[in-house]
Amino acid sequence: MAATKDAVELQVGERTVRLSSPDRVYFPDRGWTKLDVAQYYISVGEGILRALRERPTMLHRFPKGLAGKKVHQKRLPAGAPDWVETVELHFPRYDLTADELCPTEVAQIIWAVQMSTVEFHPWNVRRADVDRPDEWRIDLDPMPDADFSRVRRVAAAVHELLDELDITGYPKTSGGDGLHVYVRIAPEWEFADVRRATQAFAREVERRLPEDVTTAWWRKDRDPSAVFVDYNQNARDHTIACAYSLRGVPEGTVSTPISWEEVADVDPRDFTLATVPDRFEELGDLHAGIDDEVFRLETLLEWAARDEADDNG
């Protein structure tokens, strides 16, 4: 690492990335700086690149650190070097397009940190086909009065149902109060059908744990002590923090891959900028095998058609 008066130069693979204002404090409660954020992402580079590779990625930027305002950045920030890759997305609702960051190497992620990015929120598609997801996301979102023991129970039911479907899911903490489970799927269905399949899965979990789970669309209709299985996270232009992404919260928590065996005892607050690098060095990336198996949605879409017929009957 080379230092200048107001910047440092980081060697990231074959690239040299200039990081300005390295001593700017991003996490005031912890004293962690912009340089700490960059070094964190370098330490888990293999894992976060696996989560982001060739995915359109929205950036959550904090130009003044967490003490300032957060910027939701769809378009690539100005001033990117020519080796930072993008993909063009279309937003039908507004009839607009945007070139979003599309990482293919760790240096591009560190360049985004240079542009004050703390969180990385990828789409569930890859640039080869931005209209057909290859990633099915199960988001367990606890309502305000739901404690984490309830999230654990729901996660166990999700695991059981995936096993019955002969589908491998990869869990991670959200970096907040919930859990996520990711599944690789064949990129053959558009967003609407992936969302329908996810809703059908959620409703089956709800049938098994009616006291713990809600799939009610409107927040006012949800039990405040239940866990919402948020199927809408598979809709177009909906993104959530990827594996190994920091969260823009005072504790500096990380959305961290875990094993199914850890679900029963995990405390998401244990995974932070300070602790995850050592965990990564010891365990490697627990999502390393996620691309090895690709699953299909026909059964879930059959369930969706059944539920829709029942709803209309």
Side-chain angles (χ1 to χ4, degrees), residues 136-141 150-171 179-183 198 201-206 208-209 213 227-230 260 263 303:
W136 164 30
R137 297 170 175 176
I138 304 166
D139 179 13
L140 307 184
D141 182 14
R150 185 158 289 192
V151 177
R152 292 189 181 102
R153 286 199 298 274
V154 177
V158 165
H159 188 201
E160 180 180 81
L161 183 53
L162 288 172
D163 280 351
E164 291 173 15
L165 292 165
D166 200 23
I167 289 174
T168 303
Y170 288 80
L179 289 175
H180 302 152
V181 182
Y182 284 6
V183 175
T198 308
F201 183 91
R203 292 180 72 170
E204 179 59 28
V205 177
E206 184 180 30
R208 298 182 180 204
L209 290 177
V213 173
V227 175
F228 177 46
V229 183
D230 188 356
W260 283 111
V263 169
W303 291 2

Side-chain angles (χ1 to χ4, degrees), residues 42-301:
I42 291 171
S43 74
V44 297
E46 178 186 353
I48 193 166
L49 183 60
R50 179 174 288 109
L52 295 177
R53 188 186 298 276
E54 297 192 358
R55 297 191 185 281
T57 302
M58 184 170 72
L59 309 176
H60 287 200
R61 298 173 55 232
F62 292 81
K64 303 295 184 182
L66 268 63
K69 293 182 179 180
K70 177 165 67 173
V71 177
H72 294 85
Q73 187 93 33
K74 292 181 183 292
R75 299 180 185 278
L76 189 75
D82 58 10
W83 47 265
V84 173
E85 299 187 41
T86 63
V87 60
E88 184 180 81
L89 297 176
H90 179 236
F91 299 89
R93 181 177 178 184
Y94 308 104
D95 195 24
L96 295 173
T97 61
D99 291 324
E100 289 198 5
L101 177 68
C102 188
T104 58
E105 56 181 294
V106 176
Q108 296 163 356
I109 297 169
I110 304 307
W111 177 83
V113 174
Q114 155 59 15
M115 301 306 293
S116 70
T117 301
V118 171
E119 298 188 22
F120 292 86
H121 288 239
W123 285 44
N124 58 340
V125 299
R126 298 190 198 261
R127 66 180 175 186
D129 189 340
V130 296
D131 294 313
R132 291 174 176 80
D134 76 321
E135 188 168 78
W136 164 30
R137 297 170 175 176
I138 304 166
D139 179 13
L140 307 184
D141 182 14
M143 294 296 96
D145 296 339
D147 61 26
F148 198 70
S149 63
R150 185 158 289 192
V151 177
R152 292 189 181 102
R153 286 199 298 274
V154 177
V158 165
H159 188 201
E160 180 180 81
L161 183 53
L162 288 172
D163 280 351
E164 291 173 15
L165 292 165
D166 200 23
I167 289 174
T168 303
Y170 288 80
K172 67 183 183 72
T173 65
S174 68
D177 298 323
L179 289 175
H180 302 152
V181 182
Y182 284 6
V183 175
R184 286 290 185 265
I185 58 173
E188 298 179 14
W189 295 274
E190 295 187 354
F191 289 97
D193 276 335
V194 177
R195 180 182 179 277
R196 288 177 62 235
T198 308
Q199 183 178 19
F201 183 91
R203 292 180 72 170
E204 179 59 28
V205 177
E206 184 180 30
R207 291 184 188 101
R208 298 182 180 204
L209 290 177
E211 300 300 317
D212 292 325
V213 173
T214 180
T215 60
W217 175 244
W218 299 109
R219 180 175 286 270
K220 65 180 178 59
D221 297 330
R222 298 176 197 158
D223 180 343
S225 64
V227 175
F228 177 46
V229 183
D230 188 356
Y231 47 88
N232 209 48
Q233 294 295 0
N234 294 276
R236 185 181 185 87
D237 193 26
H238 280 241
T239 63
I240 50 181
C242 71
Y244 299 105
S245 176
L246 284 163
R247 304 308 307 271
V249 296
E251 300 79 11
T253 52
V254 172
S255 182
T256 305
I258 58 176
S259 68
W260 283 111
E261 290 72 23
E262 289 179 289
V263 169
D265 300 307
V266 70
D267 184 342
R269 296 170 297 183
D270 291 339
F271 303 132
T272 71
L273 177 151
T275 64
V276 170
D278 287 344
R279 174 182 168 89
F280 189 86
E281 184 176 3
E282 178 184 356
L283 300 178
D285 181 10
L286 295 186
H287 283 191
I290 195 169
D291 293 315
D292 295 343
E293 298 177 277
V294 177
F295 299 94
R296 303 190 62 80
L297 297 178
E298 282 89 352
T299 298
L300 293 177
L301 290 171

Side-chain angles (χ1 to χ4, degrees), residues 27-43:
F27 292 86
D29 288 9
R30 296 291 189 266
W32 296 331
T33 65
K34 184 178 183 180
L35 179 58
D36 291 326
V37 172
Q39 290 177 329
Y40 162 75
Y41 278 121
I42 291 171
S43 74

